[in-house]
Amino acid sequence: SDMETIPSHYAILSEEKVMNFGVPDWDSRQSLNKLINVIGDGYVPKRIIFYDGINDIMHHCRQDLNKEKIPHHNRQLLFAEAIRNQELPKTIFSQFQENLFNLKEFLIKPYKLFFYKIGFTENSPYISSDQLLVQSSCLNNPNKANLVAQHLINNWYVAYQLAKSKNISFLAVLQPNLYSTESIYYDFMPDKYRFPNFKKIVNIIYPLIKKEMKNSCEYNLKFCDSLIDGSRWIPSSEKVFKDTVHLTSKGNLIIADRFDNLIKEKFIEN
């Protein structure tokens, strides 16, 4: 629920007013776009925090997208298909048929998910879009893997410069994931069914992101100081992962507490 998110937990811990601009499936480029809109609308917060990593990998390493092109959006192919298939305005009858189909899908989807969870293999008739997110475009393509890492750091750098222009404190945190923390997790949907090869890809690109974070110190020490490696913020003994990256309320509280301590150390106590 909203009250169990990282921003909500942080608001309680810090007693500060917090705005949550997180949107499902967004990566660092979309967060940067949103930040431009927020600043353009006249908002000037004390601090800006970017919390990224996994979605940048998931979106940009998709095998079904251009092998070298970055950035991508998770719904890009759906948008493109919708544009290609534009038709004349639907008749009342055709609209009714579509609504009936959507209702049917809404009603049977929970049952599909249940059967998928209890043992359907990757050949299951129910194929979610998540299964298409990551295949192997970054596995055997070092150039693509480096581009993904560099793209994330570049987005953070632009966000940092924008924050700096408004005298706003900025932090960018590389988020923890199931593989970087070596934690156990709740087996709502076996990871081997959802994300083929994802562990390999994360273990390739996260070190590249950390390398780019370190390299940033060579051209901007203050920006470098704004970059935080939070990839191991979740103790391996904690069972708080619901999948490769999403956390229970307890897990989000752990992250919020790390944010609270980090911000006090960097901006408040000094």
Side-chain angles (χ1 to χ4, degrees):
S1 71
D2 287 342
M3 291 303 296
E4 297 175 328
T5 62
I6 294 171
S8 290
H9 282 306
Y10 174 75
I12 294 171
L13 290 171
S14 65
E15 298 183 343
E16 293 184 336
K17 182 178 179 180
V18 180
M19 298 295 290
N20 181 3
F21 288 105
V23 176
D25 276 335
W26 272 18
D27 58 33
S28 59
R29 171 58 65 87
Q30 291 158 299
S31 295
L32 173 59
N33 294 344
K34 181 64 176 179
L35 176 60
I36 293 171
N37 291 340
V38 169
I39 298 297
D41 288 340
Y43 292 98
V44 184
K46 289 182 180 179
R47 286 179 289 278
I48 294 166
I49 300 174
F50 274 48
Y51 184 70
D52 297 299
I54 290 296
N55 281 354
D56 281 70
I57 296 173
M58 292 178 70
H59 296 182
H60 303 149
C61 287
R62 286 174 55 174
Q63 182 69 26
D64 56 334
L65 297 173
N66 185 293
K67 291 184 178 180
E68 297 297 333
K69 185 179 178 182
I70 293 179
H72 284 302
H73 186 283
N74 185 32
R75 305 290 188 262
Q76 179 172 330
L77 294 182
L78 294 178
F79 294 154
E81 187 67 22
I83 292 171
R84 281 196 298 269
N85 294 334
Q86 279 187 351
E87 302 173 354
L88 293 174
K90 294 182 175 67
T91 63
I92 293 176
F93 180 70
S94 64
Q95 186 67 58
F96 171 77
Q97 285 182 309
E98 181 176 320
N99 290 339
L100 188 63
F101 175 78
N102 290 337
L103 176 60
K104 177 184 174 183
E105 285 296 300
F106 174 77
L107 292 175
I108 67 175
K109 184 175 181 180
Y111 300 98
K112 288 182 177 180
L113 288 170
F114 172 74
F115 284 111
Y116 184 58
K117 178 190 181 307
I118 64 174
F120 273 58
T121 66
E122 293 164 20
N123 295 321
S124 167
Y126 174 68
I127 303 297
S128 70
S129 61
D130 286 343
Q131 290 174 271
L132 299 174
L133 286 177
V134 177
Q135 294 295 333
S136 60
S137 72
C138 291
L139 273 177
N140 301 310
N141 188 340
N143 185 52
K144 179 65 176 288
N146 274 299
L147 284 175
V148 173
Q150 292 165 6
H151 180 73
L152 172 59
I153 302 302
N154 289 343
N155 289 332
W156 283 351
Y157 186 63
V158 175
Y160 162 79
Q161 293 285 15
L162 181 57
K164 180 182 175 182
S165 72
K166 298 292 183 178
N167 293 316
I168 301 170
S169 300
F170 176 83
L171 285 176
V173 176
L174 180 62
Q175 67 188 136
N177 64 78
L178 183 65
Y179 310 122
S180 67
T181 59
E182 299 179 352
S183 300
I184 52 179
Y185 72 113
Y186 291 94
D187 196 8
F188 292 119
M189 182 176 286
D191 191 66
K192 63 181 179 180
Y193 297 148
R194 281 195 69 168
F195 300 118
N197 294 325
F198 195 40
K199 180 177 182 178
K200 295 179 183 178
I201 296 172
V202 170
N203 288 340
I204 288 172
I205 297 182
Y206 255 54
L208 294 175
I209 294 173
K210 294 177 185 181
K211 180 180 177 182
E212 292 296 327
M213 291 168 68
K214 185 177 180 180
N215 289 344
S216 70
C217 298
E218 297 179 4
Y219 60 86
N220 192 318
L221 283 174
K222 289 188 177 180
F223 172 60
C224 171
D225 191 51
S226 299
L227 305 184
I228 308 299
D229 179 9
S231 62
R232 300 190 64 85
W233 274 8
I234 299 294
S236 60
S237 58
E238 293 286 355
K239 188 177 182 180
V240 293
F241 279 97
K242 296 189 289 185
D243 53 28
T244 52
V245 67
H246 296 103
L247 300 166
T248 62
S249 180
K250 180 181 178 181
N252 286 334
L253 178 58
I254 293 172
I255 298 298
D257 185 62
R258 296 297 296 259
F259 273 127
D260 188 41
N261 292 329
L262 177 66
I263 289 170
K264 286 176 180 176
E265 175 188 334
K266 281 187 169 290
F267 304 124
I268 297 177
E269 292 180 354
N270 293 335

